[in-house]
Amino acid sequence: MKLLEERILRDGKVYPGEVLKVGGFLNHLIDDALLEQIGTEIYALFKDDNVTKIMTIEASGIAIACYAARHFHAPVLFAKKSKTANISSDCFTAQVKSYTHGNTSTVFVEKEYLRPEDRILIIDDFLAHGEALRGLISLTDQAGAHLVGCAIAIEKGFQGGGDALRAQGVKVCSLAVVDSMEGGKVTFRE
Amino acid sequence: MKLLEERILRDGKVYPGEVLKVGGFLNHLIDDALLEQIGTEIYALFKDDNVTKIMTIEASGIAIACYAARHFHAPVLFAKKSKTANISSDCFTAQVKSYTHGNTSTVFVEKEYLRPEDRILIIDDFLAHGEALRGLISLTDQAGAHLVGCAIAIEKGFQGGGDALRAQGVKVCSLAVVDSMEGGKVTFRE
């Protein structure tokens, strides 16, 4: 997606430790106009897949999921990271290691919101090692739901998570695939 | 907002400890059609206030903020609860006590995303004691930005946070104000 690549080149920042910072438009301050385009693009990629539910993980996947949901007319289910007083104990759970947060957390969704008849499109802002996606796929599998595929805004292709999932037959569509950030210069996969 | 009140009566659940569970449509599984209506309603309430930025707090405020943002054509800034490798150290911070989570956390936004010239509309899913709103208002004040007001999906009116803010002159608009949940029966403020 040309518009997203251009925005990454213009406003993204490369930090040590292979960190690509896009907080100015994607996952801290969210650019409404860009997200509209991202939602439209994701719909174009999965419009024929009879998606019944979009699943994401808090927090930064929620915005993209919502901008896509409008086109699918599908509800958004977001996996949570902390139990609160209003959560049922009857949950599907998965362990997710976060390289950005530097920890492993248990993510969960309540069983009643993820059903065997669901056709799930997973959406997230970033795909690097693929840990969050694997967690969400595990939740989908536990529910006996059908995984339609995964739509990602930015994939760090050089970290291999996306290609490993593709090799397993998962439909993974990333709107921008970063192949290298060496020397602070971002280059995209053709 | 009639549609939201009806949905709360139909699908909301009252739990011990004055907990109103609306995970089936508002803050775990998100009903796309309902959120569209909520976004439209919030726009109607603040359309003349020249909002330049919408601010919310992760995670469950993000969806509502995004559905409203489309009408305002304004970006969404969400306050974060945990520092990650991609966050600058130059942040505005506030302490927020959460009754649902049972803890106090430091929330923050990066200074570069919240500017003195901003006219801020704060959006959240719930307003109870008002702790989250006070935190977001503090961030707004620290930046020297102008607070336009606060739009809330569900206010638990009997917990007083909303009325205390109104008494201080803050424009707080809640789409559904629950006045009592005694005996598990939800009644709304006229």
Side-chain angles (χ1 to χ4, degrees), chain A residues 21 27 30 76 80 110, chain B residues 21 27 30 76 80 110 113:
Chain A
K21 179 174 174 173
N27 54 19
I30 296 161
V76 172
K80 300 199 172 201
E110 290 192 51
Chain B
K21 178 173 175 174
N27 55 20
I30 296 161
V76 172
K80 300 198 173 201
E110 290 192 51
Y113 303 143

Side-chain angles (χ1 to χ4, degrees), chain A residues 1-155:
Chain A
M1 185 186 172
K2 205 71 198 161
L3 189 71
L4 179 58
E5 291 185 355
E6 288 169 358
R7 193 62 181 272
I8 293 167
L9 292 177
R10 197 185 84 191
D11 296 332
K13 288 172 192 155
V14 178
Y15 284 177
E18 298 184 329
V19 170
L20 176 60
K21 179 174 174 173
V22 291
F25 54 96
L26 193 67
N27 54 19
H28 186 11
L29 185 66
I30 296 161
D31 181 318
D32 173 65
L34 177 66
L35 270 274
E36 287 275 7
Q37 294 293 320
I38 288 176
T40 302
E41 187 84 11
I42 290 174
Y43 180 66
L45 290 164
F46 289 93
K47 66 179 161 45
D48 299 322
D49 290 301
N50 301 313
V51 172
T52 65
K53 203 167 276 173
I54 291 170
M55 185 156 58
T56 187
I57 186 167
E58 66 176 25
S60 44
I62 297 174
I64 301 174
C66 288
Y67 277 90
R70 293 180 44 231
H71 298 280
F72 291 98
H73 300 294
V76 172
L77 175 65
F78 68 89
K80 300 199 172 201
K81 290 176 181 166
S82 71
K83 289 251 178 185
T84 52
N86 56 356
I87 294 293
S88 139
S89 57
D90 207 18
C91 295
F92 299 117
T93 63
Q95 299 297 314
V96 172
K97 182 174 177 179
S98 167
Y99 290 85
T100 348
H101 286 81
N103 61 9
T104 296
S105 57
T106 302
V107 304
F108 62 91
V109 295
E110 290 192 51
K111 288 185 180 176
E112 68 171 311
Y113 304 142
L114 188 55
R115 312 298 306 170
E117 62 271 23
D118 274 325
R119 295 177 57 85
I120 301 292
L121 170 61
I122 292 174
I123 291 184
D124 208 357
D125 57 337
F126 263 96
L127 165 54
H129 297 88
E131 300 282 344
L133 284 197
R134 285 179 193 286
L136 294 174
I137 291 169
S138 165
L139 298 175
T140 306
D141 290 343
Q142 289 172 52
H146 178 78
L147 176 69
V148 160
C150 305
I152 306 295
I154 303 176
E155 176 179 342

